Amino acid sequence: MKPGSGTQAEDRLLLLVPTSRDAQLSEQILGRAGVTCTTCPGLEQLSAELDRDVAALLIAEEIYAVDHSGLLAAWLARQEPWSGLPIILLARPGSDSETLTRAVEQLSNVTVIDRPTRIATLVSVVRSAIRARRRQYQLREHLVLRERTETQLRETVEEVRTLLDTLPIGVVMTSDTETSRITGNARAHALLRVRTGEKFDGRVRVFDGDTEVPFERHPLTRAARGENVVAEHVDLRIDDSVIHAMVWATPLRNLRGEPRGALAAILDLTEQRRAELALRESDRRKDEFLAILAHELRNPLAPVRTALDILKRETQPGTRQNLHEIIERQVETMVRLVNDLLDVSRIARGTTDLDEQIVDLRQIVRSAIEISQPLIAAGRHRLSTQLPPDPVRMRADPLRLAQVFANLLNNAAKYTPVAGEIAIRVDIADRQARIVIEDDGIGIAKEMLTEVFDMFRQIREGGQKPSSGLGIGLTLVKRLVEQHQGSVVAESDGIGCGSRFIVHLPLTPIDGSSKTFPQSESAFSLRGLRVLVADDNEDAAAVLRQLIQMLGGVCGVVNDGEEVLDALRADKPSVAILDIGMPHLDGYTVARRIRALPEFDDVVLVALTGWGQDEDKRRSREAGFDFHLVKPAAYDALKAVLAPLVPAP
C-alpha cells in the first residue's frame, strides 16, 4: 500500500454497492457523520483505490459474489504484516448464502451487517472500523520509525566498529562489572594475539616491573568498578612475549550513573622502548668510544714530547734523524685517531676499523716499546726483550696492534714499583704468535683476573687508590686483539706476585714480501708553482708556506677570507689553498666568489678543513673547490694535489 496524502486519505471509506442510488444515499448518510467516502464503480477501480491509503471498505454481498477471480482476496493476501483492512459486508436479507460463507472465510477482518440496516448501526460500525484502521496506521509509522532507527543504529555501530578497527591503539571493552566477557577491536586482537571469535578472558598477565598485578587490580577491572585509570605503564605478558604498554581505562555507566562495564585503551610502547634502549646503548657506545680515543691519544703524545725535548739539546745528525722518524710515526698515529674521532658512523657503532697490512710483528713490538719508553724510563724499570731472529709476517693493523702492546707495557710500568723488572717475549708455534708481557709488580687478585678487561675497571691493591687514567686500556686491548681474531688472558699468582698478560694472534700464510710502517720519501719539487694559502690560523699558514717554499714553490699567505681576491690579483697564483672556517668570509663563500669571476677560471681551488665527512666534501664540490684536504694535510696528499700542477721546465 502506497502512502496517501495525509490524514484525510487515511480516513477514506471505499464504497462498492450495487447501484448509484445506493452509493449516493450511503455517501449522504455517512457524510453527515463526518466520514469521507469514495465510490468505486467496479472491482477494477477498487483495486486501484486500495493501493492508496484507505480506512475501510464497505461492499455489498452481491458485488463480492461476482469477484470470481478473487481480486479482493488476492489484494488482502498481499497486505504488509501491520495491515488488516477492515471490511464491512452488507448481506442480503434471508439466510446465510454460499457467497456470505465464502466471504467470512476469505476476508479475515470482516464485519457482516444485514440489510436493511439502521443508520445508527452503519455509522457506528464504520466509525469503529476507521478507528481500528487509524491504530494500524499508527503502528505502521511506529514500525517505519523503528526500522529507520534500527538502520541508523546498525550504521552507527558499523561506523564505530570501523573507527575502532582503524585506530592504532588496542581497545577492549566489558559489558559487566565482573569483566566476564571482554571484546576488542582489530588492533587489540593483533596486540593480544587473540584470533577472531576467541575470548580475551585470562589471556593476558599484567606486570608492574617484575611484580604480577592481581586480577582485581587490572586497569579494566578497576574501571568496571568505577575507577578512572589514566596513562598507567604496565607490562603485558602473553605466552613468552612481553608488551610494554600505556593503558587508559574508564567506566561505562547506566542511566542511574552506576558502573555497568568498562572500556580500556592500550598503546603499545614496545618499539618505542626498544628505540629508547637502542638510543641509550648508542649514547653509551659514543661515550665509551670517545673515552677510548681520549685514552689512545695520550700514548703517542708521550714519545713526541720526549723526542722534542731531546731535539732541543741534540746536535748529532743520526740521532736527530731517528727522532724525526719517531715523531713522524706518532703524529701519523694521532692523525689516524683524530680521523676516527671525526667518523660519526664509527662513534655511533662504538667500533674501530682496522687498516690491515702485511707487517712484521717484531717491528710492531719495537714501535710499542718506543711509545712506552718514557713511562718505563720514568719508573727506572729494566725492560728485557726477546724477539725471533727472523721476520714474523702477519696481516694486521700496525697502529692498532702497537697500541695493544703499548697499553700492556704502560700497565706494567704503572703497576710495578720503582726499578722493577718488565719483560716482553714473542714465541712462534703452530702458526700462532704468543706475546707475553710480564712484570714483578703489585699483581692481580685471582677474583679480578677476568674483570680487569671490563670497561672503567682499574687494577688496585687492597684500599689503594686507582691510578690515573680512565680504566679502559685493557678493555681496548681485548677488543683490538679480538678484532685481529686473537685472544688475551691475564695471569697472576696474587697480590704482590706480579702479573702476566698473554696475547695469542694467528699467523696466516702470506705470499709476497713483508710490508712495514711507511718510511718518508724523498722530497718532490714545486719549482715554478705559485701558491696562495688562506688560513686564519697563522701558525698553520706559516708552516704550510714554509713547506711549499722548501719544496721550491712560491707561496703567499693571507689570514682572512676578505683578503683572498686582492691577493689573487696581486700574486697571480696557480693554486689557492683555502681554509673553510675563516672569519668574516668562510672558504665556501670565497670559493663561490672566485668561481663567479672569469679572470680566475684557471686557478685550482683546494679546500683545507678539519671536516672530512662525505657531506663536507659534497659542499666543497658545490662551492667550486677542485680538491678537498683534511687537516692536518698529509705530505702524500699534498704531493698528489700539487705535483701535477707544477709547470714544465
Side-chain angles (χ1 to χ4, degrees):
M1 180 179 292
K2 298 177 182 178
S5 58
T7 305
Q8 187 176 1
E10 293 175 354
D11 287 346
R12 286 188 314 138
L13 175 68
L14 298 183
L15 296 177
L16 195 55
V17 291
T19 65
S20 58
R21 173 65 180 166
D22 292 336
Q24 291 175 358
L25 183 61
S26 298
E27 287 184 9
Q28 290 174 1
I29 295 171
L30 294 172
R32 287 195 295 270
V35 178
T36 301
C37 299
T38 299
T39 300
C40 299
L43 289 169
E44 292 182 1
Q45 290 80 0
L46 173 65
S47 178
E49 290 293 339
L50 285 173
D51 286 336
R52 300 170 59 205
D53 284 341
V54 61
L57 171 62
L58 179 64
I59 184 172
E61 179 184 347
E62 54 268 37
I63 298 297
Y64 183 72
V66 298
D67 185 13
H68 301 298
S69 61
L71 184 148
L72 182 57
W75 185 91
L76 292 171
R78 294 196 303 272
Q79 289 186 102
E80 295 181 36
W82 60 268
S83 178
L85 178 66
I87 299 175
I88 303 168
L89 185 63
L90 297 175
R92 289 177 294 191
S95 58
D96 292 345
S97 64
E98 181 181 342
T99 297
L100 187 61
T101 302
R102 178 165 59 85
V104 172
E105 292 176 353
Q106 293 182 349
L107 309 179
S108 57
N109 190 11
V110 62
T111 301
V112 179
I113 301 177
D114 292 329
R115 292 182 295 186
T117 304
R118 293 174 62 181
I119 293 175
T121 301
L122 179 62
V123 171
S124 175
V125 171
V126 168
R127 285 179 172 174
S128 178
I130 291 174
R131 286 195 299 271
R133 188 60 169 168
R134 284 176 182 168
R135 287 193 291 271
Q136 291 182 19
Y137 282 130
Q138 291 171 356
L139 177 61
R140 180 187 68 178
E141 293 304 319
H142 173 73
L143 292 174
V144 169
L145 179 60
R146 188 176 74 175
E147 182 178 356
R148 186 182 301 122
T149 302
E150 289 176 349
T151 300
Q152 291 175 346
L153 181 60
R154 286 194 297 271
E155 290 174 350
T156 301
V157 169
E158 185 60 30
E159 290 171 359
V160 172
R161 181 181 292 112
T162 302
L163 173 63
L164 290 175
D165 284 343
T166 56
L167 288 176
I169 61 176
V171 178
V172 293
M173 184 179 69
T174 180
S175 55
D176 63 86
T177 58
E178 301 301 322
T179 64
S180 60
R181 183 175 181 273
I182 303 174
T183 58
N185 66 345
R187 178 57 182 156
H189 278 82
L191 186 64
L192 305 179
R193 299 182 184 178
V194 178
R195 290 193 294 266
T196 303
E198 287 185 342
K199 292 183 178 181
F200 286 87
D201 308 26
R203 180 75 176 166
V204 181
R205 297 168 65 198
V206 180
F207 281 78
D208 181 4
D210 294 329
T211 305
E212 183 168 4
V213 178
F215 175 78
E216 60 271 13
R217 296 302 300 161
H218 285 194
L220 188 64
T221 307
R222 288 154 52 197
R225 294 171 184 169
E227 180 181 347
N228 275 307
V229 179
V230 180
E232 282 195 359
H233 287 270
V234 296
D235 288 343
L236 307 178
R237 298 193 183 181
I238 306 156
D239 300 331
D240 295 329
S241 64
V242 178
I243 298 170
H244 304 290
M246 184 181 291
V247 178
W248 294 260
T250 186
L252 299 175
R253 301 182 183 275
N254 59 24
L255 296 179
R256 296 186 299 276
E258 301 166 341
R260 63 171 182 81
L263 182 143
I266 307 170
L267 178 61
D268 184 2
L269 299 178
T270 307
E271 290 303 319
Q272 179 180 328
R273 179 76 65 87
R274 288 175 183 159
E276 289 176 356
L277 293 176
L279 186 61
R280 290 177 188 172
E281 176 64 14
S282 175
D283 193 55
R284 184 194 65 77
R285 288 181 178 180
K286 177 200 69 176
D287 292 342
E288 183 178 305
F289 184 78
L290 293 176
I292 287 175
L293 282 179
H295 172 84
E296 289 184 83
L297 283 168
R298 291 180 177 181
N299 286 339
L301 283 174
V304 168
R305 185 170 61 185
T306 302
L308 289 173
D309 289 340
I310 297 173
L311 280 173
K312 292 177 183 178
R313 301 167 177 81
E314 181 59 57
T315 58
Q316 294 297 322
T319 303
R320 294 177 66 87
Q321 174 63 27
N322 182 54
L323 293 174
H324 285 156
E325 291 174 359
I326 291 173
I327 293 173
E328 181 180 5
R329 282 195 295 271
Q330 301 312 318
V331 168
E332 178 65 26
T333 298
M334 284 189 289
V335 169
R336 169 91 175 271
L337 293 174
V338 170
N339 287 338
D340 285 350
L341 179 61
L342 295 177
D343 189 336
V344 177
S345 63
R346 207 175 303 170
I347 290 175
R349 296 194 308 270
T351 61
T352 54
D353 294 337
L354 298 183
D355 180 19
E356 291 189 335
Q357 306 170 18
I358 299 173
V359 297
D360 182 356
L361 179 60
R362 301 176 307 167
Q363 188 169 345
I364 292 175
V365 172
R366 293 186 186 112
S367 178
I369 294 172
E370 180 181 286
I371 293 172
S372 302
Q373 189 60 49
L375 194 60
I376 295 172
R380 303 199 302 276
H381 302 307
R382 291 178 295 277
L383 174 66
S384 62
T385 305
Q386 184 178 337
L387 301 178
D390 299 322
V392 180
R393 292 187 301 163
M394 63 182 299
R395 187 173 296 279
D397 182 326
L399 295 180
R400 296 298 188 192
L401 213 51
Q403 290 168 24
V404 167
F405 302 133
N407 279 348
L408 293 174
L409 287 169
N410 286 347
N411 263 14
K414 285 192 296 184
Y415 294 108
T416 298
V418 175
E421 299 285 343
I422 300 174
I424 182 167
R425 183 176 72 254
V426 177
D427 300 321
I428 307 298
D430 300 327
R431 294 183 180 178
Q432 284 262 336
R434 182 175 181 267
I435 303 94
V436 181
I437 292 94
E438 194 168 7
D439 62 68
D440 60 355
I442 66 172
I444 306 172
K446 292 188 180 299
E447 63 272 12
M448 287 285 294
L449 287 175
T450 56
E451 295 182 16
V452 292
F453 294 104
D454 294 343
M455 179 64 72
F456 308 122
R457 177 74 68 174
Q458 292 186 330
I459 302 172
R460 64 186 72 187
E461 180 181 2
Q464 172 185 332
K465 291 184 179 180
S467 69
S468 62
L470 297 171
I472 59 176
L474 292 180
T475 303
L476 179 62
V477 165
K478 188 172 189 295
R479 290 187 181 179
L480 290 176
V481 168
E482 289 175 349
Q483 279 189 270
H484 283 84
Q485 284 75 53
S487 63
V488 58
V489 294
E491 295 180 355
S492 176
D493 293 331
I495 299 298
C497 299
S499 59
R500 185 168 48 257
F501 287 85
I502 303 172
V503 178
H504 288 90
L505 293 170
L507 299 176
T508 54
I510 299 172
D511 295 330
S513 60
S514 171
K515 177 181 177 182
T516 60
F517 293 103
Q519 302 296 322
S520 60
E521 301 177 8
S522 59
F524 67 101
S525 174
L526 296 180
R527 188 173 302 279
L529 184 68
R530 301 183 67 84
V531 181
L532 174 66
V533 173
D535 196 326
D536 63 306
N537 186 321
E538 295 182 6
D539 288 342
V543 170
L544 185 56
R545 176 175 60 181
Q546 185 176 355
L547 176 61
I548 292 171
Q549 290 174 340
M550 286 177 59
L551 295 174
V554 176
C555 184
V557 169
V558 296
N559 302 119
D560 193 299
E562 293 180 338
E563 303 174 13
V564 172
L565 292 179
D566 291 339
L568 287 175
R569 292 188 178 99
D571 298 342
K572 300 188 180 333
S574 302
V575 183
I577 302 176
L578 308 179
D579 176 36
I580 295 297
M582 292 184 291
H584 304 121
L585 288 181
D586 63 26
Y588 296 129
T589 304
V590 174
R592 282 191 286 267
R593 290 188 178 184
I594 293 173
R595 290 302 179 220
L597 298 173
E599 61 184 295
F600 300 128
D601 284 349
D602 295 334
V603 177
V604 175
L605 297 184
V606 181
L608 187 64
T609 175
W611 301 101
Q613 301 298 306
D614 291 341
E615 175 65 16
D616 305 313
K617 296 176 182 178
R618 181 190 64 78
R619 289 186 64 191
S620 66
R621 285 195 305 271
E622 291 177 351
F625 283 102
D626 299 292
F627 299 97
H628 187 106
L629 297 180
V630 179
K631 290 182 178 181
Y635 178 82
D636 288 341
L638 197 64
K639 175 182 176 182
V641 170
L642 298 182
L645 304 177
V646 176

